[in-house]
Amino acid sequence: MHQYLKKVINYQGVTVAQDAPTEENWMRFVRESISVNPQARHVLILPAGSQEALQWALPALYYAYYYGSPIIFVTNGQVPESDIQPYQNLTAYLIGPASLVPSTAGNPFSEAERLSGRNPADHAVRLAEYRDEATEFGWGRKHDRQNGYFHYVVTTPKDALMGLAALPFARSNNASLLYAGDDGSLPASTDRYAWTQRSDWFVSPSEGPFRHFWVVSPMVSYAAQSRMDFSVEKAEYASLGAVALGYMEGLMIMFITLGIASSIFVGVHAANTLPMVHVPMKIAWTLGSLLLPIIGPLLYLTAYRRPAYKSADGTWHWLRPQNIQSAAATMMGFGYGAPLMVAIGFLFVWFGFPLIYDEWLSDFVYWLGAGMPIMMIGMFVLSVLTAWLLAQYPMKKMMMDMPEKQVAWMSFKTTLLSMAAVSLGMMSLTWWMLMNHIPMMPKEDDILWFGSLWVASFLGFLVAWPFNWFMIRSHLKPGNT
């Protein structure tokens, strides 16, 4: 194993001890193999001497080799004084049980923390999952990691020397160490962990990330190898087949269902109980409630279950407080603008749009040629123009006694300002969900795509509400019709 890896792993920065590890020289092998990082923030206190000590130390040695962690071996419960001095101000990790690494070994250091599992297999899993950003120790390979092409070296405790000979894998393949059982089976802790590393695909199994096991022990059974191979075999999102749903899809389906129910309620109620309200306003409340489950109908009922009077021109006005006036005014813009943005965004991604990466685009404005900014700019511009021409201008003309040009200009300004406020919240949350929170960009026919914009619209309304409050105070918008 040692000679083979010395031959095949050949790139700058990888150190390999000249002699293969044995039960007698394995500590020297470690010291000759690890190049210490002078900027390390932690020091590893490891058991020394016996084969049992190597079994507990080996998982930590893989990270030490990868990162260049300084290591100190404990012999007969003592830490050599000469080894302590350079690392006294660092956080010390006591690797292994107290029977091999006593708690007193951590006393000379500023902080000390013990990392040990119930047995070597559980111990290896814990070190694979552990991460402390402050001290920069640990792989941090938990089940919720959304990235990373993780590799693992698998051996048995009895074949720990083989695992140590395969130490260069920690650098060449970014591999951490896991243990199978000495009988060749998979211990429960290793089996559980292997299944947490399974990744899913949205469109094609060729999508990353991928996981890989390097088995370096002849004792690991074919059944165990097959089970590990199956555990990381990629499956359709979310690991349960074509009809499976993750928790996000479930929540978004409930959100959209409540939105549809809210929209139906408002539409039917307005059609049957408010004959004096203009049809465009009823449509705005109905479409707005589609994207504001529960909140939309509550605002609608609050806005219209109030005393009203009829003005000389035949227009009905409701006596509402300032905050409800601003909510009603927000709904007049949001009810048309937000559904338009969702619909226009869908058409963009369904039919596609040009991506521009010309040389004249400097580093400062390169993002203008990327897909998401183009989609968002297009959604905003087209929704403003459409909502203004087809809804806002006709409503303002019907409600305000002003010259036609003045009404057109005022309706355009209020539409632009209101939709800008909606977009501020809506686009920000959309970007975060599609680009950061969801592991892979969903396609336009996925519930995650619609759900993300649906939920983002909710935030857009909350952001636009205060803006419309100021427009009501400035008499740019009516809020009592």
Side-chain angles (χ1 to χ4, degrees), residues 90-129:
L90 303 182
T91 298
Y93 289 97
L94 310 181
I95 306 298
S99 59
L100 295 174
V101 183
S103 298
T104 54
N107 292 342
F109 302 93
S110 61
E111 293 184 40
E113 180 177 346
R114 182 178 300 279
L115 292 175
S116 180
R118 297 184 302 272
N119 50 58
D122 181 65
H123 177 67
V125 168
R126 183 176 181 191
L127 289 179
E129 294 179 321

Side-chain angles (χ1 to χ4, degrees), residues 352-358 361 368-375:
F353 46 84
L355 302 180
I356 305 168
Y357 293 103
D358 290 334
L361 287 173
L368 288 174
M372 185 68 80
I374 287 180
M375 184 182 79

